Amino acid sequence: MPRPDPFGFLRDAVAGAEDAALALLGQERVRLAVTGLSRSGKTVFLTSLVANLLAAGTGLRTLPALEAASGGRLRRARVVPAGVESVPRFDWQGHLAALAADPPRWPARTEDLSTLALTLELDRRSWIGGFLGGRSVTLELLDYPGEWLLDLPMLRQSFAEWSAATLARLRRGSRAAAFADFLAFVDALPAGAPADEPLSRRGFILYRDGLHAARDTHGLRLLQPGRFLNPGPRGEAPLMWFFPLPHAAEGGGLAELCARRYDAYLADQRAAFFDPFFRRFDRQAVLVDVLGALHAGQEAFDDTAEALAEIAAALRYGGSWLDWLTGQGVRRAAFVATKADHVPTRQREALTSLLEDLTTAPRERALAAGAETGVHALAAIRCTEDDVATLEGRRVGAVRGVLLGSGRVAKVYPGEVPTRRPGPEFWQHGSLFEMPEFQPPRLDPHGAAGVPHLGLDTLLAWLIGDLL
């Protein structure tokens, strides 16, 4: 297993000292981690957040709950100008232009990480501010491929441990079909298979193709390593040419080669992604597409819940004495059900309750580490309005919106959202939950008027309102 960064404590201490010094000068900094699995809506969330904060900074009431939480002290919001960063900037303007196009387009799958910072200029909280001048809070944001997040739990596992857990999972349910060719390949390998390059390359390709089939055909989410699904701009480097092996613990030959590449891969992910970006977040929003998981069926739903639990257990909440000493670690963590506009108003409470049930263990862990937790449901861009439909002679709550692709206005009764993790009876009658794709509403391509949303202001008020 790759070793932790030996200088991590020193870097955390320096970052903590910098934050404290800036706060004394009235220039506070807060790092918001927006995490979640692929297709959970991180890019849309960040685009809406930026557009609505900038609009709020001009005096528009795009985020009323945040305005109330800040006591009306926000005077201006601006994007921090680019400096000499080596990381790409989050292209919120490009994403907004795509959403405002004719016909509108949802952002494409995120292929690389990107960052952006907003400075919020505020009045001081007391009359002393008249002598000290205003204060500012800089909000640092990160976007990245959701698949990469699933590498985080791997940092705690050796190659042999990961191989055993992964192969056990691959032999169950629809994974067995998605990975049929790969399983036939590894089961035929002898215990002392040689470190043959064509053999290792073939195993990697079969395993990678199985991951794609499991995600794209069966809607599964607990798929590792993440870069096998989304390698990013660097492509498929040789350190990725490994795969789980039945005899991994015995070492030697192919097993030793795969273990070395596994360790090198995790070391690279730690150095390029986790340590520089995931160590020092102050607030966290974990986005979950609960409705999409319900629509995909029992196995996909259970798999999403398991992936969420694995990720949440590996996140850093700042409960150790070192975290308190350096001032690092997440202090508030929100678990957020996205696409809440796909169900009518009366079902959004059930959606929140369902996510509460799914995140009981992660929230208890965060609380034990000293972090506050909350559960929210939102739509970063609201695409529907509430309506009423008739089902078997009775009136039921529905939503009305424009369907993606056809451009047809449709009234949809999505089904009933359970308030707790569904039992077998929920799944016995086939697909009971409909999840249509709606197109975004007509938007201002420049974002001057903000973006229509559902609950974004309430979430931001809970996450950062105390800092304003």
Side-chain angles (χ1 to χ4, degrees), residues 61-94:
R61 301 198 71 237
T62 55
L63 300 167
L66 183 65
E67 179 184 348
S70 69
R73 286 184 288 271
L74 179 63
R75 290 292 169 259
R76 186 186 175 208
R78 57 184 175 84
V79 174
V80 176
V84 294
E85 300 87 354
S86 61
V87 178
R89 278 168 71 83
F90 178 70
D91 185 16
W92 72 274
Q93 292 168 307

Side-chain angles (χ1 to χ4, degrees), residues 149-157 222 224 307 310-311 314:
L149 190 62
L150 284 163
D151 290 351
L152 190 58
M154 295 172 63
L155 296 175
R156 302 173 298 169
Q157 296 176 298
L222 185 47
Q224 300 167 321
E310 288 278 336
I311 291 167

